[in-house]
Amino acid sequence: MLRTVAALALSATTTLSWASVCGDAHTSVADIQGRGTKSPMVGEQVTVEGILTVDVRQPGGFHGFYLQQALTEQDTDPTTSEGLFVHTNARPGSPGDRVRVTGEVAEYYGLTSLSQVDRVDICTSPGLPTPAALVLASQQAIDRETMEGMLVRTTTPLTVTDTWNLARYGELVLAPTLQRMPTQVLEPGLETQALAAQQEQQRLLLDDGQRRKHPRPIPYLSHNGTPGHPLRVGDQVAPVTGVLDYRFGSWRLQPLTQPEVHHANPRQMPPERHRDANLRVVSLNLGNLFNGNGQGNGFPTERGARSHQAYQQQLGRLAGQIRATDPDILAVAELENDGYGQRSALADLATALGDQWRYVEGGTNSGDDAIRNALLYRADVVRPAGAATLIDNGAFRRWHRPALAQAFRLANGESAITVVAVHLKSKSCRNAPPAQQNRGDGQACYTAAREAATRALGDWSSATPGDGRAILLVGDFNAYARETPMTLMRDAGYTDLVAQFHGLDQQTFRFHGRVGTLDYHLASSALAGRVMASYIWSVNAEEPRFRAYDANPPADTPPDSLWRASDHNPVISDIQL
């Protein structure tokens, strides 16, 4: 148990008596942080003096403060740090004070510290030391070890690349630039492993100095006090001063003061329809839309909302987001696989979209998965041309949701387009058999299954009669832009529309702080020339997870918010038929 110092008396006499014990410490911080030829002093009781830099003794904090050796007392060994964490609830000392501490050297999950502290004495108040420069773009792991526990300052603005643990642990993941999935920009292979390792090395967690879960208020949300500018992936944090810390397996920065956040990636409304287009197709992974038994009961379901109230909010937000994109044809994935009746999740979605909306009935065999694909359309704009086709044979017999194909014509009878809703097997390695396991080339598990499925889609489209070859494959392919399944689609004559109009630096999904495209609109050669524009609307993947309908979003999140209705961004294409 930690031993705390007696309450600090505020009289000048007491302060002078404490100051009189300072100045004879023989152990330095560098001795305690010894690396290489110096042996760590774990378990020894030592007395050390230094400057208190960052204080995390607040309620819910890390129960201690950071101590740094004064510049005139630092050694000349560049391999040893001059900073140290002091684990104590003793209250004396504030940032900038020189303090004398007696305690036991400890190593706790990679963090060198003093614990079992006997006393903390204030000596003088010389002010904070000059922070060392922290250059994320070029540093190696050993560089950070030499600055562990020291006051540092980042040298450039850093980009927010992940917000997943912001509401849970008060953490933001920062990097020199937005980090893309290696296979979004590189072909699968050893280079992707090297890029992933480099990205990990360049990351830094901006922490809030709290050890408790679910900090409230959630830190770092305000853009310098400006309302209406919520924090998003892609925003930037100005150069910030703090202590370089190592906890829970990650390097992190405990800031000295509130960081300055710049609104570098503002929310944008959906793109306007191209003036020459007479058809808009939108696809969206719904993030598991399940409606229980369709009568307000049956919750929690296998996936999705945990209650009827949560489902109503989920459905309302999804429908509002979809209406904002102004589609004529809509393809969705991760919809409950519960048939086509009036109580189905598909019927609920069509009703929520409005009176003009209808859905395609793709047959009775929609697979044995809990989720499926679906196609919906505005009956005042288009009409189905013939029966739908469910692609559920060959490679689609296992792993993937059956693909759903439907030809449409404009209501005035003009030329047709065939839209195919696709959702291929995910990258999760759970229960992956040997043939589907990770190859170590950056594509994760089940890439063999995804390759087989894309070959099957190419074969299917080649066999489609001539008047139906204006084909648009849409949906979640669970493959990034440079992965083999997408190469196979290009070889089959399909054009990645978003990449054609905007390049590969796009994202529909974020995973572990990296972004890339899993969702596509792929046009056959007979259709590609009729596409006027194609877009990704960054409405979901860039938003913090805690803004989702099922995550108790902050009070400033309207219940009908369009933002973070799903975890995938919608893809939009404007076509001239």
Side-chain angles (χ1 to χ4, degrees):
M1 180 178 293
L2 297 180
R3 288 166 284 183
T4 60
V5 71
L8 172 62
L10 299 180
S11 68
T13 303
T14 303
T15 302
L16 289 173
S17 66
W18 276 4
S20 66
V21 304
C22 298
D24 60 348
H26 298 291
T27 303
S28 70
V29 172
D31 291 334
I32 299 170
Q33 288 279 23
R35 300 287 194 270
T37 58
K38 296 185 178 181
S39 300
M41 304 167 67
V42 174
E44 293 186 30
Q45 188 176 57
V46 298
T47 298
V48 63
E49 290 182 19
I51 300 172
L52 192 160
T53 54
V54 172
D55 192 343
V56 285
R57 291 174 291 184
Q58 72 275 17
F62 289 128
H63 300 296
F65 58 82
Y66 297 87
L67 185 75
Q68 183 166 329
Q69 199 79 63
L71 179 61
T72 57
E73 299 168 346
Q74 294 180 9
D75 67 7
T76 58
D77 186 348
T79 67
T80 55
S81 169
E82 302 291 343
L84 181 70
F85 182 68
V86 178
H87 191 185
T88 181
N89 286 324
R91 298 312 304 169
S94 300
D97 286 344
R98 179 184 175 92
V99 295
R100 176 185 176 92
V101 184
T102 299
E104 184 177 297
V105 179
E107 191 81 14
Y108 185 74
Y109 290 100
L111 176 69
T112 305
S113 65
L114 280 190
S115 64
Q116 302 297 323
V117 173
D118 281 322
R119 61 183 297 167
V120 177
D121 296 333
I122 301 174
C123 300
T124 57
S125 187
L128 292 169
T130 301
L134 183 63
V135 186
L136 294 188
S138 62
Q139 283 188 325
Q140 302 299 313
I142 188 64
D143 296 322
R144 296 193 185 185
E145 290 179 2
T146 63
M147 293 189 289
E148 178 189 306
M150 293 178 62
L151 203 62
V152 299
R153 182 171 176 81
T154 56
T155 57
T156 60
L158 297 177
T159 299
V160 176
T161 194
D162 198 10
T163 58
W164 187 261
N165 277 329
L166 180 58
R168 189 178 185 189
Y169 295 119
E171 299 172 350
L172 284 180
V173 181
L174 307 180
T177 61
L178 189 65
Q179 294 189 335
R180 302 197 177 279
M181 280 290 178
T183 50
Q184 179 71 17
V185 293
L186 296 174
E187 292 184 0
L190 294 178
E191 283 187 283
T192 64
Q193 297 180 23
L195 178 55
Q198 180 187 55
Q199 290 173 337
E200 289 292 335
Q201 178 58 41
Q202 292 181 347
R203 289 183 177 189
L204 183 68
L205 291 184
L206 181 64
D207 208 346
D208 66 344
Q210 300 278 357
R211 62 181 299 167
R212 62 187 175 190
K213 289 184 179 180
H214 310 299
R216 293 297 183 270
I218 299 171
Y220 311 132
L221 290 190
S222 172
H223 284 268
N224 311 321
T226 304
H229 297 293
L231 182 75
R232 285 163 48 93
V233 165
D235 284 344
Q236 290 190 330
V237 176
V240 56
T241 299
V243 163
L244 184 63
D245 193 20
Y246 187 83
R247 292 177 188 272
F248 312 115
S250 298
W251 288 102
R252 53 193 68 218
L253 190 69
Q254 307 293 349
L256 188 63
T257 57
Q258 179 73 15
E260 182 181 340
V261 180
H262 293 294
H263 191 44
N265 185 28
R267 288 174 171 176
Q268 303 287 342
M269 294 308 293
E272 295 183 2
R273 188 181 295 228
H274 193 281
R275 62 186 179 185
D276 295 327
N278 55 7
L279 181 72
R280 171 168 278 196
V281 180
V282 175
S283 64
L284 176 63
N285 184 316
L286 299 174
N288 293 308
L289 182 66
F290 281 58
N291 75 339
N293 65 1
Q295 297 178 286
N297 297 308
F299 295 93
T301 58
E302 183 175 353
R303 304 188 185 186
R306 307 299 295 171
S307 67
H308 181 59
Q309 181 181 5
Y311 166 71
Q312 289 179 309
Q313 185 179 115
Q314 179 190 22
L315 178 63
R317 291 177 66 174
L318 284 168
Q321 186 177 107
I322 292 167
R323 286 194 299 268
T325 64
D326 189 30
D328 301 316
I329 299 173
L330 171 68
V332 297
E334 293 196 8
L335 177 75
E336 183 178 9
N337 189 8
D338 63 345
Y340 298 94
Q342 292 183 349
R343 295 175 181 171
S344 66
L346 179 55
D348 273 4
L349 179 59
T351 299
L353 290 176
D355 294 340
Q356 295 296 337
W357 281 91
R358 308 289 185 269
Y359 53 85
V360 172
E361 296 193 26
T364 57
N365 177 21
S366 57
D368 57 3
D369 202 303
I371 55 176
R372 62 169 171 179
N373 304 305
L375 289 167
L376 301 94
Y377 61 96
R378 283 185 58 104
D380 57 335
V381 179
V382 297
R383 63 174 184 266
T389 300
L390 202 65
I391 305 172
D392 59 356
N393 57 359
F396 282 88
R397 288 177 180 169
R398 194 178 185 191
W399 312 126
H400 316 288
R401 274 59 58 173
L404 177 63
Q406 175 67 61
F408 294 93
R409 294 186 185 275
L410 295 177
N412 60 14
E414 294 184 21
S415 56
I417 180 175
T418 297
V419 180
V420 186
V422 178
H423 186 193
L424 302 187
K425 175 64 177 168
S426 76
K427 295 175 175 290
S428 171
C429 292
R430 184 174 55 184
N431 300 324
Q436 301 295 339
Q437 289 179 4
N438 196 334
R439 301 170 178 173
D441 61 357
Q443 300 186 90
C445 291
Y446 290 98
T447 188
R450 292 189 292 275
E451 290 170 8
T454 49
R455 287 191 182 95
L457 288 171
D459 293 343
W460 175 85
S461 60
S462 297
T464 302
D467 61 355
R469 289 184 179 171
I471 300 171
L472 186 64
L473 303 176
V474 302
D476 182 356
F477 285 71
N478 269 310
Y480 293 103
R482 300 297 298 275
E483 293 184 10
T484 307
M486 308 318 299
T487 299
L488 292 172
M489 294 312 306
R490 289 194 296 272
D491 292 345
Y494 280 86
T495 298
D496 178 350
L497 294 177
V498 171
Q500 174 180 273
F501 284 97
H502 306 287
L504 295 181
D505 288 346
Q506 305 295 318
Q507 60 264 1
T508 65
F509 192 68
R510 170 168 48 92
F511 183 72
H512 288 184
R514 295 178 175 91
V515 296
T517 50
L518 294 180
D519 309 82
Y520 299 89
H521 283 190
L522 306 176
S524 66
S525 56
L527 177 66
R530 305 184 202 174
V531 180
M532 302 292 100
S534 192
Y535 318 89
I536 293 170
W537 182 24
S538 298
V539 65
N540 293 322
E542 293 76 10
E543 296 284 318
R545 170 70 181 84
F546 62 79
R547 293 196 181 277
Y549 76 93
D550 59 346
N552 297 316
D556 65 347
T557 303
D560 58 349
S561 172
L562 301 180
W563 307 95
R564 192 68 189 194
S566 177
D567 53 350
H568 289 244
N569 289 332
V571 185
I572 303 166
S573 290
D574 291 340
I575 301 168
Q576 185 185 64
L577 290 184

